[in-house]
Amino acid sequence: MTRPSPQLPGPMQEIVALARAFAAAREATETLADDIRALQRKALSGRLRALRSRIAEQAAAEEALREAIRARPDLFIRPRTVAIDGVRFGLRKQPGAVALGDEAQAIRRLRARFPERAEALIRVRETLDRQALRRLTAAELAQIGVTVEKATDEVTIATARSELDGILVALLDDTGPAEAA
């Protein structure tokens, strides 16, 4: 035996109707996106072998170029890079990394050998963890002098996460500005 649904107030019925209209519009969009995906799969299936072959050729050509540059670094002293047919190639200085064996020992040595520069080179910082503070009650926050600001209501509309969102972004990115207009 099913219960009769409770009677909603008039304004809420209007919002429920709008939510249903949104759900129907989303379902129609998802159906169209499914049709487009099917067409894409059909178009791609006939050319997939050729596409994979081209990708492999491109990777081989890139690796050959990379090896040729590694073999002749003397050609890239000045200028360090060259651009030909839309491809920039050459050598680029990497920033490197500062390696510390024992950081505490390095700090002690720095304070002993360069005391006037220690403050500028050693970072000491104490801050509150805002994520952890969110777990405290309002009363606990008040005791330590912390208040919650801008705690207002915000309209939220959420749908079940699906492939549709990603596909729509991909489809719209593929269309140029002229097609989008």
Side-chain angles (χ1 to χ4, degrees):
M1 178 175 177
T2 60
R3 289 175 149 164
S5 59
Q7 188 63 22
L8 298 172
M12 186 59 154
Q13 288 177 352
E14 294 171 15
I15 292 174
V16 167
L18 290 171
R20 286 189 173 132
F22 170 67
R26 184 166 171 84
E27 188 174 326
T29 303
E30 193 159 350
T31 301
L32 179 60
D34 286 341
D35 293 345
I36 292 170
R37 279 193 301 262
L39 289 171
Q40 283 179 321
R41 280 191 299 272
K42 184 178 178 182
L44 184 62
S45 67
R47 312 233 3 163
L48 196 54
R49 183 177 293 150
L51 178 62
R52 286 186 177 139
S53 175
R54 291 281 183 213
I55 289 171
E57 287 175 22
Q58 177 182 327
E62 181 180 359
E63 188 56 32
L65 176 60
R66 190 175 306 283
E67 288 302 317
I69 294 168
R70 278 190 196 119
R72 294 296 309 269
D74 58 305
L75 296 176
F76 300 97
I77 295 171
R78 280 209 202 271
R80 304 267 299 153
T81 60
V82 179
I84 305 274
D85 293 340
V87 177
R88 181 169 289 282
F89 57 93
L91 297 174
R92 178 178 51 184
K93 183 62 93 182
Q94 294 297 303
V98 175
L100 298 172
D102 180 2
E103 190 169 0
Q105 186 177 8
I107 290 172
R108 282 193 301 275
R109 286 180 180 164
L110 182 99
R111 284 193 171 127
R113 292 191 175 105
F114 308 108
E116 69 283 352
R117 294 171 51 198
E119 188 176 326
L121 296 170
I122 300 171
R123 184 180 310 157
V124 177
R125 186 169 170 208
E126 201 172 86
T127 62
L128 290 173
D129 183 348
R130 284 177 168 66
Q131 287 298 98
L133 288 174
R134 291 180 189 275
R135 291 189 286 269
L136 296 178
T137 65
E140 292 170 325
L141 290 172
Q143 288 176 6
I144 61 172
V146 175
T147 59
V148 177
E149 296 177 347
K150 300 179 185 174
T152 60
D153 289 336
E154 179 180 334
V155 172
T156 180
I157 300 172
T159 58
R161 196 76 180 134
S162 71
E163 290 181 16
L164 177 63
D165 302 314
I167 290 170
L168 289 176
V169 169
L171 290 174
L172 293 175
D173 284 347
D174 287 344
T175 62
E179 292 180 63

